[in-house]
Amino acid sequence: MTPELQRMDWMPSPPLAPIDSPLDLDHLSRMTLGDAQLEREVLALFAEQAARLIAAMTALPAEAGALAHKLKGSARGIGAFAVADAAASLETAIRTGHGRPHALAALKEAVTEARTAIEAMLKP
């Protein structure tokens, strides 16, 4: 008898103490192996992707769950844990059928905060 395998999503743990920024820069540094140029490239890509995904969620509500899932993974990768949590909340709201408008608004706000922080970091 073969045991049944279950898929488990792995993610680095967010910090135990709250951080003042929408981005966990220590996490980002670990994920990019301390390469400052790579950090800048990843942040720029995330900012662009996040804006596109939010626009797509509004335009294609039937796809919002899958798009939120994609955004959640990207956000975790760069240390934008508030965006990842908000995307997970939207996934739950879509799955349960409760609170979707509020969850989408919270996700938009988290993305705006992250993108603002990224823009400030990328200014020459």
Side-chain angles (χ1 to χ4, degrees):
M1 185 161 151
T2 305
E4 196 171 312
L5 298 177
Q6 293 180 349
R7 181 172 184 236
M8 294 178 58
D9 293 330
W10 177 86
M11 69 165 253
S13 297
L16 296 176
I19 55 176
D20 293 337
S21 170
L23 301 171
D24 181 339
L25 299 180
D26 290 334
H27 176 79
L28 176 63
S29 181
R30 283 190 306 275
M31 297 302 284
T32 58
L33 303 175
D35 183 332
Q37 181 60 36
L38 181 57
E39 286 179 16
R40 294 177 63 77
E41 289 176 29
V42 168
L43 288 173
L45 289 170
F46 176 79
E48 181 182 320
Q49 179 195 41
R52 277 187 326 213
L53 290 174
I54 290 292
M57 285 179 214
T58 303
L60 304 166
E63 301 296 320
L67 296 169
H69 186 77
K70 179 183 263 189
L71 182 55
K72 177 177 69 176
S74 296
R76 285 179 176 163
I78 68 158
F81 293 115
V83 173
D85 291 346
S89 293
L90 178 57
E91 284 182 293
T92 300
I94 291 169
R95 192 171 42 256
T96 63
H98 300 295
R100 182 179 177 149
H102 175 71
L104 181 57
L107 178 57
K108 287 179 180 180
E109 182 178 332
V111 166
T112 298
E113 289 175 8
R115 292 186 75 227
T116 299
I118 290 168
E119 288 171 14
M121 291 174 63
L122 297 181
K123 281 188 180 177

